[in-house]
Amino acid sequence: MERWFWLYLLAANLAAFALMGVDKGRARRGEWRVPERTLFLPAVLGGALGGVLGMRLFRHKTRHWYFRWGFPLLFLLQAAVLIWLAYIKK
């Protein structure tokens, strides 16, 4: 069970990271964009770290306060939950 949990978190983080890169590429080319709701979905579902890293690496959505503050706050919340889960498992 634990293995599936970590694979799920990896997939959510990779999805969040990749979506930030795809949307930045589309923005540069003036193409159809990924909706902001779609960018937030994998971050809310456990991929906030991937979203933060994608935002920083691709320099994307850094002017929007809800991304600049929302993704890091989601990450802190998710990290706190992981630490709490590790603590209660002992």
Side-chain angles (χ1 to χ4, degrees), residues 14 17 19 24-25 29-30 33 39 44 53 88:
L14 288 174
F17 183 83
L19 280 171
K24 179 64 175 194
R29 293 187 300 273
R33 304 285 301 279
L39 294 173
V44 169
L53 293 176
I88 65 168

Side-chain angles (χ1 to χ4, degrees), residues 39-74:
L39 294 173
F40 257 99
L41 184 62
V44 169
L45 296 176
L49 178 59
V52 169
L53 293 176
M55 190 172 60
R56 301 285 184 232
L57 181 70
F58 301 117
R59 296 181 187 166
H60 190 51
K61 298 290 187 186
T62 56
R63 292 184 182 181
H64 299 276
W65 69 268
Y66 41 91
F67 280 95
R68 186 179 356 182
W69 294 99
F71 275 23
L73 287 174
L74 279 172

Side-chain angles (χ1 to χ4, degrees), residues 11-27:
N13 280 282
L14 288 174
F17 183 83
L19 280 171
M20 293 301 275
V22 166
D23 192 47
K24 179 64 175 194
R26 288 178 176 179

